[in-house]
Amino acid sequence: MNRIITLAILLCSGMLWSQVLIINEIDPDSPSTDTAEFIELKSQTANFSTDGYILVFFNGSTSGGDSSYMVIDLAGYTTDNNGLLVIGSSGVSPFPQLLISENVIQNGADAVGIYQASVNDFPEGTLATQTNLIDAIVYDTNDADDANLLALMGETTQYNDNGTNANPKSIQRFVDGTGNESYSTTTPTPRRENDGSGSAINPITISVIETQFGEGASFDITFTAETVLSENLDFSVSLENFGFNTSDYTGSVDLTILNGETSTSTTINLVDDELDEGDEVLEISFLNLTEPIVAGNNNVEVRVVDNDFTVAAWGTPLNPTMGMVESTQPSGYYNSLDGLSDNALRQALQDIIANPNIVRAQTYADVIDILKAADQNPANSNQVWLVYSEEGRAKLDLQTGSNNTGKWNREHTYPRSRGGFFDIEEDEIADGIDVFWATKADSLRHGNSDAHALRAADAAENSSRGNQHYGQYTGPTGTQGSFKGDVARSVLYMEIRYNGLEVVNGYPNTTGQLGDLATLLDWHRNDPPDDFEMNRNNVVYNWQFNRNPFIDQPLLVEYIWGNNAGETWDQSLSIDEFQNNNRVVFPNPTDGRLYFSELPDHAKVEVYSIDGKQINSFKSVKDYIDLDLAPGLYMLKLYSNNRVSTQKIIVK
């Protein structure tokens, strides 16, 4: 009789496990920001190697076409003592064995399948299939059934995860006493059996009071078990992460939670060195936990703010300086423009900045590295300067997930949706300065990653701007508008650089057009190029081998769109060219009176403070001007015969 019962149990067990690996639980939307989404697999036997298996995710939306959007290779992983393997983002607790980014599992109607196949079998956009399929689930978050996706996956039921932020739920697999399998939604149970059975685990959680400290500070790390320890637990952690290593701190990383207790802590002392290493992030990570002890959370980051940052000689856009940063344009870079007007001037300018034999296009991912240098805050080398918000922000605070609070990202001054350029998969690879695409005036897609038109911006403010035209969008309330001339020159550059783009008056809805031209011309005139903008022009030139000509030669704007449109262009004179033409300003330094030699009739002189504010203007200058100014450094702009030179003047 006992043998008959045993046989029946074995037969029932075999019926339940026709697959060696199944989808046991999925939570694609927890919470609405998707910082704790996961999928849990279960093997027929504990500690099962998932080598040879892959996890494929399919997009059931109209645009997704029931095709693959993500593939995860399960090679190198094993299920735990309960046969469970959790694939999820860092907000999942206990911590996933296989970590993925936040907000990558789509909400539905979608599907996920386990395949015994290679990742190469499922390039992005592969139609859902049952070939080599081991197990699958089709799910949604209050969406209509996708009958086609169900058929493609060989499934008959689409399961709904209808959880909320206050009451998160996941879709879980259950088997009743008679062997019937079903799925239902209930409170998520990652890395624990859905019915509460199985071997118990004891997660250890890492906690710190603050997540940012300066060099020289000390802080405590506390480790807390979910349940009381029945014996001493010895474990180690690592703090190393990229450039942060054992030379940057002192303190014990080998710890013990004693029998009968639940926690222990260690004090870490951050070394205050004299090196400008930039802000760093230490990462608290478990090294040697063994089941039933598992990580409740892991890879906890703590910012270490470097107090050895550098300050540039020039000012921020909010406190600008002029004339301190020289253009790195090659000699004669703009010579081909002289004597031209109208369309001939436009074409000659495009021939320079879109020359297919010289100019390079980088990836959209490379732009992050470009902006870290081009938009570096002159007042703090560990920060970028935010274009609209007029403030510095740590370079480390780049937005990488769905949370944009306190983060910065890449702002297209000429919005993608307005321009009609777009992202491709290769754009997400940062392959460095020496790997690039050939590009030309018709390469509109490369406008997506043209750093002359991309700026570091507060991520939330970037979202608020959206694709508004300038004039509709004038920046955050209370700011001084130091960005206005910069963005004007940025989008005017785009019109010349790429065929198919145009800056026009008003607020058009035609793809390829951006407004408002009148507003942008006014911004350009009232916020002239400063040292910050010239420096970023030089940095971008180093990557792309082209320049924004309206920073180097701001008067060009008037000859193409403004007051001098239709007139013949002659480029600005440098100080050396000015003096080589026997036109000299003296004495310098001066007590107040400045003399000019070989100056033609009707010359005009403008005087600017070092922060870029115009102080005085003199028309029809012939021999000299008198400066009634306090001692200090000033900028002199001299206009004659449609040419301009800029020179520093010291008043004693």
Side-chain angles (χ1 to χ4, degrees):
M1 185 68 177
N2 288 340
R3 293 179 62 186
I4 295 174
I5 293 173
T6 302
L7 179 60
I9 292 172
L10 290 173
L11 286 172
C12 182
S13 176
M15 291 172 60
L16 298 180
W17 281 103
S18 58
Q19 310 106 311
V20 294
L21 196 63
I22 60 171
I23 297 169
N24 198 52
E25 184 175 359
I26 182 168
D27 187 354
D29 188 31
S30 185
S32 59
T33 52
D34 292 325
T35 56
E37 57 187 16
F38 70 93
I39 181 170
E40 180 184 78
L41 309 184
K42 183 173 176 61
S43 58
Q44 184 174 2
T45 58
N47 308 122
F48 175 79
S49 170
T50 54
D51 288 352
Y53 295 89
I54 61 173
L55 201 58
V56 186
F57 297 79
F58 298 97
N59 185 347
S61 69
T62 301
S63 60
D66 300 330
S67 298
S68 61
Y69 68 89
M70 180 171 66
V71 182
I72 297 175
D73 192 346
L74 300 178
Y77 293 90
T78 59
T79 60
D80 64 12
N81 291 344
N82 288 313
L84 302 177
L85 174 65
V86 174
I87 300 101
S89 49
S90 59
V92 178
S93 181
F95 199 73
Q97 294 118 298
L98 198 167
L99 187 65
I100 59 175
S101 299
E102 297 176 354
N103 197 25
V104 294
I105 301 178
Q106 298 194 26
N107 293 351
D110 294 307
V112 60
I114 306 171
Y115 290 84
Q116 196 161 18
S118 165
V119 292
N120 298 324
D121 296 333
F122 287 89
E124 185 175 347
T126 301
L127 189 66
T129 177
Q130 295 177 51
T131 303
N132 298 320
L133 181 64
I134 303 301
D135 191 33
I137 186 170
V138 182
Y139 65 90
D140 65 88
T141 50
N142 298 314
D143 300 288
D145 282 2
D146 185 338
N148 187 58
L149 185 57
L150 285 164
L152 289 169
M153 300 299 289
E155 297 293 320
T156 57
T157 305
Q158 180 172 305
Y159 298 99
N160 181 27
D161 173 3
N162 59 353
T164 64
N165 284 348
N167 185 25
K169 294 183 178 180
S170 64
I171 304 167
Q172 301 178 23
R173 172 184 175 271
F174 291 91
V175 179
D176 65 19
T178 62
N180 292 319
E181 181 184 73
S182 63
Y183 285 84
S184 62
T185 55
T186 186
T187 303
T189 60
R191 206 162 177 183
R192 288 183 166 99
E193 291 282 14
N194 298 333
D195 61 4
S197 64
S199 302
I201 57 173
N202 191 359
I204 308 293
T205 301
I206 304 166
S207 60
V208 290
I209 295 176
E210 302 287 343
T211 57
Q212 178 171 302
F213 298 93
E215 286 186 336
S218 298
F219 67 98
D220 292 336
I221 309 173
T222 301
F223 303 88
T224 306
E226 186 174 274
T227 59
V228 174
L229 273 295
S230 58
E231 59 182 18
N232 287 355
L233 172 65
D234 298 320
F235 64 99
S236 300
V237 296
S238 168
L239 306 184
E240 296 187 26
N241 183 39
F242 294 104
F244 188 90
N245 55 46
T246 54
S247 68
D248 295 310
Y249 73 92
T250 60
S252 178
V253 291
D254 298 313
L255 301 116
T256 300
I257 300 179
L258 298 175
N259 176 25
E261 298 186 2
T262 58
S263 68
T264 189
S265 63
T266 183
T267 299
I268 300 299
N269 307 294
L270 300 172
V271 174
D272 186 2
D273 57 31
E274 297 181 355
L275 303 175
D276 181 17
E277 303 165 301
D279 295 346
E280 295 179 304
V281 176
L282 65 85
E283 190 173 79
I284 310 166
S285 305
F286 290 111
L287 293 179
N288 55 351
L289 299 183
T290 303
E291 286 187 75
I293 305 299
V294 299
N297 61 347
N298 208 357
N299 306 337
V300 174
E301 295 184 345
V302 175
R303 174 82 51 85
V304 181
V305 179
D306 193 344
N307 56 15
D308 300 301
F309 60 83
T310 59
V311 178
W314 55 91
T316 70
L318 204 57
N319 298 287
T321 58
M322 299 176 68
M324 302 180 71
V325 179
E326 299 291 337
S327 170
T328 58
Q329 67 194 44
S331 177
Y333 188 70
Y334 297 110
N335 282 358
S336 61
L337 306 180
D338 289 345
L340 302 179
S341 63
D342 291 328
N343 289 334
L345 178 59
R346 282 173 167 264
Q347 186 59 56
L349 187 55
Q350 186 183 72
D351 290 344
I352 296 171
I353 65 174
N355 187 336
N357 298 314
I358 296 175
V359 180
R360 301 175 171 185
Q362 302 291 344
T363 70
Y364 190 49
D366 279 325
V367 170
I368 293 171
D369 290 325
I370 299 175
L371 295 186
K372 285 180 179 178
D375 286 342
Q376 181 169 291
N377 182 4
N380 186 328
S381 58
N382 296 332
Q383 299 178 345
V384 289
W385 183 262
L386 304 183
V387 62
Y388 302 129
S389 306
E390 301 179 333
E391 61 181 337
R393 180 155 302 160
K395 292 177 180 179
L396 291 174
D397 285 327
L398 174 70
Q399 182 182 0
T400 56
S402 57
N403 180 19
N404 65 8
T405 304
K407 305 294 184 181
W408 68 273
N409 59 17
R410 296 158 288 185
E411 153 72 335
H412 288 87
T413 56
Y414 204 121
R416 284 193 277 202
S417 61
R418 298 284 182 194
F421 37 84
F422 54 89
D423 213 3
I424 61 174
E425 188 172 356
E426 289 83 354
D427 252 331
E428 300 311 311
I429 301 170
D431 46 25
I433 194 170
D434 294 324
V435 181
F436 52 88
W437 287 301
T439 185
K440 55 187 178 180
D442 287 329
S443 303
L444 180 58
R445 199 206 68 75
H446 293 155
N448 180 60
S449 56
D450 195 318
H452 284 303
L454 282 151
R455 294 293 297 266
D458 175 78
E461 185 60 31
N462 189 353
S463 179
S464 296
R465 186 263 167 131
N467 69 348
Q468 293 180 83
H469 299 281
Y470 292 112
Q472 288 179 323
Y473 178 79
T474 57
T477 302
T479 53
Q480 296 186 25
S482 66
F483 60 87
K484 290 182 175 179
D486 301 48
V487 299
R489 288 177 285 275
S490 176
V491 298
L492 293 174
Y493 156 88
M494 290 289 280
E495 174 175 328
I496 301 299
R497 168 64 177 88
Y498 297 99
N499 292 334
L501 299 183
E502 185 180 14
V503 182
V504 300
N505 285 315
Y507 307 123
N509 289 319
T510 302
T511 300
Q513 293 185 339
L514 181 68
D516 167 54
L517 176 60
T519 297
L520 291 165
L521 291 177
D522 182 63
W523 287 3
H524 164 72
R525 291 163 182 152
N526 288 286
D527 177 28
D530 55 24
D531 286 318
F532 177 86
E533 203 173 352
M534 182 63 76
N535 179 70
R536 88 177 312 275
N537 203 13
N538 293 342
V539 171
V540 176
Y541 173 72
N542 192 43
W543 280 77
Q544 296 183 183
F545 286 19
N546 73 345
R547 302 184 65 81
N548 185 333
F550 308 122
I551 298 172
D552 293 330
Q553 305 274 1
L555 280 178
L556 267 173
V557 171
E558 299 294 345
Y559 283 77
I560 295 177
W561 294 278
N563 297 326
N564 302 101
E567 296 180 14
T568 300
W569 165 259
D570 283 295
Q571 66 181 302
S572 303
L573 285 169
S574 69
I575 293 174
D576 290 340
E577 290 172 324
F578 183 82
Q579 292 178 343
N580 288 338
N581 279 319
N582 297 317
R583 298 171 185 172
V584 179
V585 180
F586 64 94
N588 188 14
T590 178
D591 289 322
R593 174 165 289 189
L594 279 177
Y595 291 91
F596 302 88
S597 66
E598 302 296 328
L599 198 63
D601 292 337
H602 308 299
K604 183 176 78 169
V605 176
E606 293 176 348
V607 183
Y608 291 83
S609 64
I610 199 63
D611 64 0
K613 294 182 176 64
Q614 184 174 331
I615 298 172
N616 209 336
S617 178
F618 302 86
K619 296 181 179 179
S620 300
V621 177
K622 181 57 180 174
D623 297 318
Y624 66 87
I625 59 174
D626 286 318
L627 301 174
D628 184 16
L629 298 172
L633 179 65
Y634 298 88
M635 302 303 301
L636 196 74
K637 284 191 175 183
L638 194 152
Y639 300 83
S640 64
N641 295 332
N642 294 329
R643 309 186 84 175
V644 62
S645 69
T646 303
Q647 187 169 343
K648 300 175 187 175
I649 296 295
I650 298 174
V651 176
K652 296 189 291 184

